[in-house]
Amino acid sequence: MSTSKKQGVTTGSSGKGGNRGLLKWFVGAVVAVVALGFALAGCSRVSTRPDEVILHYAGGTFEAIAFERCINPSSGATLLGPGDTSYSYPFGQRTFDFSGSEDSESRPISIVSKDNVEMQVAGSATFTLNTDCRTLRQFHERIGLKFGAYSKDSGSSSSGWDKMLNFYFKQPLDRAMDAASQEFEWRKLFNDPAIKQQWEQRVGQLARQFIKETAGADYFCSPNFGGTGDCGDVVLTIQKPEPPESLVNALAAEQAAKAENIAQAQRNAKVRTELESIKDLVGVLGPQGAVLWKAIQDGKVEVIPVPQDGNITISPRRR
């Protein structure tokens, strides 16, 4: 009997321990779920459009911020951890417009010609941001962060992007155009297509050199750059330099005067030809004969044929 009671006590004690273990497991599971809930509450999701690339940086308040990965265009929803940060950059062709239009990034660029005439040049630079992951990260950490050139919300614009373009495109373009324009006179830049073509080629050569020097690396590539291989060159489209309106008007007046001089010279040449013709007539017919010939040519004198019998009948003209 005593053995049976001890066994019963033992059995009862084992059941209570099992309940306590189950309770501990349940409490642990609840704590884990709550912790997971708090963790998920600090998470976020990002997805990319076809024309953007996102840089993902992990870390935040309690740990060092470190680069995690690039999220390519047209990627589905990606989970970011608590405190993680994403930076959006454009993928594909972009343009720096310096035409001065309402939605352009800049006004036309001023240049000074070889003969010290200030002119205005409008145009655009078409390029692709180098989105090779390693290069884009370098661009972001060296330039993007400084200017705030990124977008924190997918699809939104950034005023820092325009500031960055003005520094890395307008200033090198300004330098390139000024340097190239010092080689040509304003009249030829404005009026001579062959000279304008030479100037455009020189501007393109210098602009690409200065843009790369200013940026420090191949961050700005050709419009057709696909992310790998040769970066290529930025494509420039520039209009004919425009001098001040006063010079344009003066040039138009000068051209009009030249045209009038040419016309007068042609009229003078015609008069000289006629005088030479009259001299020849006088030499052949004499003064009176020349006058009569001229009158006949002008229809002032009527010539009447004389019949063989010599009888001439003259009827007065009816007026």
Side-chain angles (χ1 to χ4, degrees):
M1 292 293 294
S2 111
T3 305
S4 175
K5 287 181 180 179
K6 287 182 180 179
Q7 288 177 349
V9 170
T10 303
T11 303
S13 174
S14 175
K16 290 180 181 179
N19 290 336
R20 284 196 299 271
L22 181 62
L23 180 61
K24 287 181 179 180
W25 177 87
F26 179 74
V27 170
V30 170
V31 171
V33 168
V34 171
L36 179 61
F38 279 115
L40 290 175
C43 293
S44 60
R45 292 178 180 272
V46 296
S47 58
T48 55
R49 295 176 290 109
D51 62 346
E52 74 171 333
V53 175
I54 286 180
L55 295 177
H56 173 201
Y57 282 79
T61 307
F62 301 107
E63 58 181 326
I65 297 174
F67 175 74
E68 185 74 15
R69 56 182 163 170
C70 290
I71 304 175
N72 292 325
S74 299
S75 294
T78 303
L79 185 67
L80 305 185
D84 289 5
T85 312
S86 64
Y87 302 90
S88 172
Y89 283 97
F91 175 81
Q93 289 189 15
R94 290 296 182 274
T95 300
F96 174 69
D97 183 351
F98 52 98
S99 65
S101 62
E102 184 178 352
D103 57 349
S104 64
E105 283 79 18
S106 171
R107 292 176 295 177
I109 294 175
S110 296
I111 63 170
V112 178
S113 64
K114 184 179 181 179
D115 44 357
N116 293 320
V117 172
E118 184 174 353
M119 309 173 77
Q120 301 293 318
V121 181
S124 63
T126 306
F127 66 98
T128 295
L129 183 66
N130 194 336
T131 52
D132 168 75
C133 191
R134 181 177 179 181
T135 305
L136 183 61
R137 174 191 173 186
Q138 187 183 71
F139 169 82
H140 171 71
E141 294 174 358
R142 290 183 179 181
I143 296 174
L145 286 172
K146 179 172 65 176
F147 286 90
Y150 52 83
S151 171
K152 294 300 290 289
D153 299 317
S154 179
S156 64
S157 59
S158 166
S159 60
W161 176 261
D162 293 338
K163 292 178 183 178
M164 182 273 294
L165 290 182
N166 269 279
F167 186 85
Y168 287 98
F169 274 87
K170 184 175 181 180
Q171 292 190 25
L173 280 171
D174 202 329
R175 285 178 56 203
M177 287 186 183
D178 261 341
S181 301
Q182 289 295 310
E183 302 174 11
F184 305 97
E185 297 177 353
W186 79 270
R187 288 173 182 261
K188 293 183 178 180
L189 286 173
F190 183 64
N191 270 337
D192 191 332
I195 293 298
K196 179 180 178 291
Q197 185 177 15
Q198 293 178 26
W199 172 76
E200 286 177 343
Q201 291 173 349
R202 183 61 174 152
V203 169
Q205 177 186 7
L206 292 174
R208 295 178 187 101
Q209 174 187 337
F210 293 159
I211 288 172
K212 185 174 180 179
E213 287 177 358
T214 304
D218 284 327
Y219 298 135
F220 307 105
C221 303
S222 74
N224 297 321
F225 179 65
T228 57
D230 184 27
C231 178
D233 292 326
V234 172
V235 174
L236 293 179
T237 303
I238 47 181
Q239 305 299 320
K240 179 173 69 174
E242 292 291 337
E245 187 177 357
S246 58
L247 285 183
V248 175
N249 293 337
L251 184 60
E254 180 183 324
Q255 295 300 320
K258 286 182 179 180
E260 177 58 28
N261 288 338
I262 293 173
Q264 186 60 51
Q266 291 175 345
R267 289 193 291 270
N268 292 343
K270 182 180 179 182
V271 170
R272 284 194 298 270
T273 300
E274 291 177 348
L275 289 175
E276 291 296 328
S277 178
I278 292 172
K279 287 180 182 179
D280 291 342
L281 284 173
V282 171
V284 175
L285 303 176
Q288 295 299 323
V291 171
L292 179 59
W293 175 265
K294 180 63 175 171
I296 293 171
Q297 292 295 315
D298 293 343
K300 296 178 180 179
V301 174
E302 185 176 354
V303 178
I304 301 174
V306 179
Q308 291 183 357
D309 58 7
N311 295 322
I312 301 175
T313 302
I314 298 176
S315 300
R317 283 184 179 177
R318 294 180 180 179
R319 296 185 179 181

